Amino acid sequence: SELADIMYWVFEAQPSNAAGVFGSRESIEAMKDGFDIFLEDSGFRDFCLFDYQQQLGPNATSDDRECRAPLSPLTMYYASSWDSEKVAAVIDNLKVPGNIEKFNTLALCYVQQLYCDRLEENVDPSDAAFTMALGANISSITSTWDMKGDLVENFTQVTELASYLIQIDVFKGFVDFGFDTEFSAENPVSKFSRGIIFWGGPMEDNKQGSEEEMEKLEDSEDDIRKDYIKENYLEKMDEQSKKSTHSTIRSYYFMTAIIGDVILNIVTKDATLAIFSFVFVFLWIRLNTRSWFLAFVGLFEIFFSIPVAWFIFTVIFQIKYFATLNSLAIFVVAAIGADDIFIFMDAYKQSQYHLDILCDLETRMSWVYRRTGVAMAITSATTCAAFLCTLITPLTSIQSFGIFAAVVIFIDYVLVMTLFCTAVVIYHNRYENNARFGCCCPCGTVTPSNTEKARLAAEES
């Protein structure tokens, strides 16, 4: 008896479909498929919102009450009965110049019996009779819009009727929800449409309890409804919304009960792609450094820059708003962090050809440190400055992302110059040219050191 949730369908004509979503039988039937997922399921009755405006017979029971029809223009196209002659007469009347304005002026009184005292006293009896007759005909036509029939054979007549009814103040509510803003009698083409399926509650007759008990009951029913939708409808809804399912339209859905699960599913799929990108970065670092040890340390310092930056962002800077957009910083730092590692390792490899710095490891690493530190500092500073430029925007989420990304880049630079530099020293002393198949064994200290070997090779050359 109470509205518990709604399921929202939105339909869009494919770019190749110039006739719009109501321009062909195929398009209309494709939209109907989205509603039939629910309407053709006998179990939907246990969850739907009942139509309490339905007139029941004297011997009828509550089991005879039907679900409320969806709010959709498809109720017109699938009316339980369609009188083409009556519809044609209504359209002809509305086509006559001045008739729509006349009807709008008088319909509130002569059709709805409202505000009659605001009409002019000298209303032409023929105009009043015209208004009442036309209003009765339109009311008769709209009374059968229930989506219980087959598709009207002359569906273009339905679209034409809608293009005129949308100009009638007291009847436009039947049609304007499901057509786009460009739809009119002069342009009877709608590129978009939408519809709502109503879900009801409570599922059982429940006695009144405390506020806390009623909230728990409502949450329990929400979970039951969500589980039923996921088990019986969600897969079909996903299939309906695939781009390849229909050639003339695209379908989109929204429902509060399952929005969390749908978003989680999308995030999971995106996370899978993210994992692929991180694996690619890891393997590329391994290829460049020729060491699994340095690859693991490099990827660790890239990821570790995120929690450190988060601590600075929330605890030190005391910024309470952490935008969802901030999560994208991981992709930024993955690229920039890997680039910094490549710069550092290239300088380390080049150092073995400079005889004047190969006297010991300290001198060699000092040269590498100074050579790469300045270059990475400049690039990191310009990148941070670029992100901090987002502070000029009034959008809070963009500001939050800019600040967080700048902090992440700065922390990544610090970790490359400290943690990764230390890892390179360990790599030099234990694993360089001493590993088997790229692994970190044997693990003893290399004697003589690789710097000494490089110096001897440089002297010989």
Side-chain angles (χ1 to χ4, degrees):
S1 61
E2 300 176 3
L3 180 63
D5 206 339
I6 61 173
M7 192 276 160
Y8 215 111
W9 274 119
V10 176
F11 305 102
E12 177 188 13
Q14 294 275 25
S16 58
N17 182 10
V21 292
F22 299 103
S24 67
R25 179 176 293 271
E26 180 183 1
S27 298
I28 299 172
E29 291 175 343
M31 290 188 287
K32 181 66 160 47
D33 289 343
F35 292 95
D36 285 343
I37 293 173
F38 310 94
L39 301 181
E40 292 185 353
D41 174 36
S42 59
F44 177 64
R45 177 180 170 77
D46 297 332
F47 299 90
C48 72
L49 178 66
F50 289 134
D51 183 7
Y52 282 90
Q53 295 181 351
Q54 177 188 0
Q55 299 296 324
L56 297 179
N59 299 324
T61 64
S62 58
D63 292 337
D64 296 321
R65 191 169 297 281
E66 298 179 348
C67 295
R68 181 175 172 180
L71 178 59
S72 167
L74 293 181
T75 56
M76 305 165 55
Y77 292 87
Y78 288 87
S80 54
S81 65
W82 186 263
D83 190 336
S84 297
E85 293 183 1
K86 183 183 290 186
V87 172
V90 168
I91 294 175
D92 289 339
N93 276 321
L94 294 177
K95 284 181 177 180
V96 176
N99 276 0
I100 291 179
E101 291 78 5
K102 182 196 305 181
F103 186 84
N104 284 336
T105 302
L106 303 177
L108 205 58
C109 174
Y110 289 101
V111 177
Q112 304 287 343
Q113 284 75 51
L114 297 171
Y115 305 110
C116 293
D117 57 323
R118 299 186 181 182
L119 285 178
E120 297 180 0
E121 295 183 0
N122 298 321
V123 176
D124 191 321
S126 62
D127 291 342
F130 161 80
T131 303
M132 289 187 289
L134 183 59
N137 284 338
I138 297 177
S139 297
S140 174
I141 293 169
T142 58
S143 66
T144 63
W145 292 358
D146 49 18
M147 209 185 283
K148 295 179 182 178
D150 297 326
L151 178 59
V152 175
E153 187 66 28
N154 186 7
F155 61 85
T156 56
Q157 187 185 50
V158 182
T159 306
E160 185 179 14
L161 175 63
S163 70
Y164 284 99
L165 288 187
I166 207 168
Q167 304 175 60
I168 305 299
D169 295 337
V170 295
F171 290 109
K172 67 185 300 182
F174 285 97
V175 295
D176 63 349
F177 178 80
F179 296 86
D180 63 30
T181 56
E182 303 297 325
F183 182 76
S184 65
E186 293 75 25
N187 178 44
V189 176
S190 182
K191 292 293 185 181
F192 299 89
S193 184
R194 56 183 175 174
I196 292 177
I197 293 177
F198 302 97
W199 299 74
M203 298 178 186
E204 297 179 357
D205 293 333
N206 299 297
K207 297 180 179 179
Q208 291 295 325
S210 66
E211 184 177 347
E212 183 178 352
E213 290 175 342
M214 296 306 293
E215 287 182 357
K216 289 182 179 179
L217 179 62
E218 185 176 343
D219 292 340
S220 175
E221 290 193 351
D222 288 342
D223 291 337
I224 294 173
R225 186 182 301 107
K226 180 178 71 172
D227 292 340
Y228 186 83
I229 293 170
K230 290 169 61 178
E231 292 174 5
N232 296 274
Y233 302 139
L234 188 55
E235 185 177 346
K236 297 176 183 178
M237 292 159 62
D238 289 335
E239 182 66 27
Q240 173 74 14
S241 61
K242 286 182 180 179
K243 187 176 182 179
S244 58
T245 301
H246 301 291
S247 60
T248 56
I249 67 165
R250 287 292 310 274
S251 303
Y252 311 90
Y253 66 82
F254 173 84
M255 187 173 182
T256 306
I258 58 173
I259 187 64
D261 297 85
V262 172
I263 291 177
L264 180 61
N265 185 44
I266 294 172
V267 170
T268 302
K269 292 180 180 178
D270 290 346
T272 303
L273 298 176
I275 291 173
F276 172 79
S277 65
F278 296 142
V279 170
F280 177 80
V281 170
F282 171 76
L283 294 177
W284 196 253
I285 294 175
R286 165 64 182 87
L287 183 65
N288 180 270
T289 61
R290 300 177 184 176
S291 167
W292 291 109
F293 171 72
L294 291 180
F296 278 112
V297 173
L299 195 66
F300 172 78
E301 66 88 3
I302 289 174
F303 280 115
F304 191 61
S305 61
I306 296 293
V308 175
W310 176 84
F311 178 82
I312 295 173
F313 183 85
T314 57
V315 178
I316 298 179
F317 290 168
Q318 292 291 304
I319 300 176
K320 302 301 181 182
Y321 179 68
F322 192 83
T324 306
L325 196 62
N326 291 8
S327 60
L328 297 179
I330 184 64
F331 299 100
V332 177
V333 74
I336 296 178
D339 188 53
D340 289 346
I341 291 172
F342 297 155
I343 293 174
F344 194 94
M345 287 305 298
D346 284 345
Y348 174 76
K349 294 173 184 177
Q350 292 171 12
S351 65
Q352 65 181 317
Y353 302 108
H354 295 264
L355 182 60
D356 55 324
I357 63 172
L358 294 177
C359 53
D360 53 46
L361 178 60
E362 290 77 7
T363 304
R364 181 182 180 184
M365 291 304 297
S366 176
W367 181 87
V368 174
Y369 202 92
R370 287 181 281 106
R371 183 179 181 86
T372 59
V374 175
M376 286 190 290
I378 294 173
T379 56
S380 297
T382 54
T383 305
C384 289
F387 280 116
L388 291 176
C389 286
T390 58
L391 292 175
I392 65 176
T393 179
L395 301 178
T396 307
S397 59
I398 302 298
Q399 292 178 343
S400 175
F401 171 70
I403 297 172
F404 183 72
V407 175
V408 169
I409 299 304
F410 172 73
I411 296 301
D412 177 73
Y413 168 74
V414 172
L415 291 177
V416 170
M417 298 305 293
T418 54
L419 178 62
F420 189 77
C421 178
T422 305
V424 171
V425 173
I426 297 174
Y427 165 75
H428 168 274
N429 291 336
R430 292 181 176 273
Y431 310 132
E432 187 177 10
N433 299 327
N434 199 34
R436 298 292 181 266
F437 306 107
C439 297
C440 303
C441 295
C443 298
T445 302
V446 178
T447 305
S449 70
N450 286 289
T451 297
E452 293 174 352
K453 293 178 182 179
R455 177 169 56 78
L456 292 175
E459 288 176 348
E460 292 177 358
S461 60

